[in-house]
Amino acid sequence: MTLTVAAVAALAPLAAACGSEKADGGGSGSAAAAGESITGVRWSIDSVTVDGATHRAPDTAHVRIDDGGEAAGSTGCNSFSARADIEGAGDDRRVRLSDAMFTEKACAKTPAGFEKSLGRALTTGSLTTENEGERLTLTTADGDTVRLSRSEDASLYGTKWVVDAPGHKGHKGDKGRAHLTFDRDAKTVSGRLPCNHVNAGATVSDGRITLGAPSTTRMMCEGSLMDAEKRLLGLFDGQVQYRIDHETLTLTSEDGATVRAVAEQ
């Protein structure tokens, strides 16, 4: 499948123009809601309306504006980034996205006209904001709109986190083999490493998890699996920092080793 000529024409000028969850399970989204902030929040893009025509967004379309003046997101097919300037406050707050860059992948499931309309609405100038806590509307000077809704981070607890095992590329049929699930009440983590099952204590506080000594089964697997398992076991019997960004969990050990996991759908 290829992008239509209109879609390519819409995205190309944009590129040419410029060159977590914390503590005991409180998500970043809930904290932002209290102050009705639009930054530091993963906003799902629901629809875009340009010239009176409304285009529904793919489920994975989103944008996040950080406090450092950068915006990044996805159209559901292509990713994009831009400089974000926020002026004013409350009802007078405005957002301007500039120096926007879009990738140019071809995706058959992206609704026709959506990417072109979204690119036009987000980058044509200053956008007024209407923030109703869980919903945000961005409006251009011509009256075009982008409607968004707050997307909460997955919970650390009770989520099956599918682990990207370090050093293990995986084999056909074993995708998702390594996984972990944290239990708030029992203060434990359990799951499966690339080869063996594992259980350990897990105490969460101030963005850190103290992991106890692991208890594992004693199976032997091929060398690459055992090497990946050994690296994962290095997280246990110590303390790790953790961060949740929507459906991605990042664990960082005291020696700087990083492991990422994704919430199972």
Side-chain angles (χ1 to χ4, degrees), residues 170-193:
H171 299 278
K172 186 176 181 179
D174 72 354
K175 183 179 180 181
R177 170 178 287 183
H179 59 85
L180 298 171
T181 300
F182 293 86
D183 188 310
R184 181 198 298 269
D185 296 331
K187 296 184 178 180
T188 60
V189 60
S190 61
R192 184 165 185 169
L193 302 175

Side-chain angles (χ1 to χ4, degrees), residues 57-250:
D59 291 341
T60 54
H62 68 275
V63 64
R64 181 191 293 268
I65 302 173
D66 64 32
D67 293 326
E70 299 292 333
S74 171
T75 66
C77 171
N78 285 283
S79 58
F80 62 88
S81 61
R83 174 182 172 180
D85 294 305
I86 299 178
E87 301 175 348
D91 294 338
D92 295 326
R93 182 167 45 196
R94 291 177 175 269
V95 177
R96 182 186 295 272
L97 301 183
S98 58
D99 296 339
M101 297 187 69
F102 283 67
T103 60
E104 296 182 21
K105 295 186 296 183
C107 301
K109 294 183 179 181
T110 302
F114 171 74
E115 288 189 316
K116 176 182 177 181
S117 297
L118 180 65
R120 171 179 162 181
L122 288 180
T123 61
T124 54
S126 181
L127 303 168
T128 61
T129 67
E130 182 180 353
N131 189 351
E132 299 177 350
E134 297 301 315
R135 296 190 179 278
L136 174 67
T137 301
L138 304 177
T139 305
T140 70
D142 293 331
D144 299 330
T145 60
V146 180
R147 300 188 184 280
L148 312 98
S149 57
R150 188 181 299 274
S151 178
E152 298 291 349
D153 293 335
S155 173
L156 174 67
Y157 299 106
T159 300
K160 184 176 181 180
W161 294 104
V162 179
V163 180
D164 179 12
H168 173 45
K169 300 300 183 182
H171 299 278
K172 186 176 181 179
D174 72 354
K175 183 179 180 181
R177 170 178 287 183
H179 59 85
L180 298 171
T181 300
F182 293 86
D183 188 310
R184 181 198 298 269
D185 296 331
K187 296 184 178 180
T188 60
V189 60
S190 61
R192 184 165 185 169
L193 302 175
C195 181
N196 286 281
H197 293 277
V198 64
N199 290 275
T203 303
V204 180
S205 179
D206 297 330
R208 295 177 179 271
I209 306 172
T210 301
L211 296 171
S215 174
T216 68
T217 53
R218 300 296 181 182
M219 295 186 294
M220 293 297 295
C221 299
E222 65 178 80
S224 65
L225 292 175
M226 297 308 294
D227 289 344
E229 182 158 307
K230 183 178 179 180
R231 292 185 179 92
L232 284 176
L233 285 171
L235 296 175
F236 290 83
D237 203 12
Q239 198 173 71
V240 297
Q241 292 182 332
Y242 81 97
R243 174 183 174 83
I244 295 176
D245 184 1
H246 189 48
E247 294 183 345
T248 299
L249 169 67
T250 302

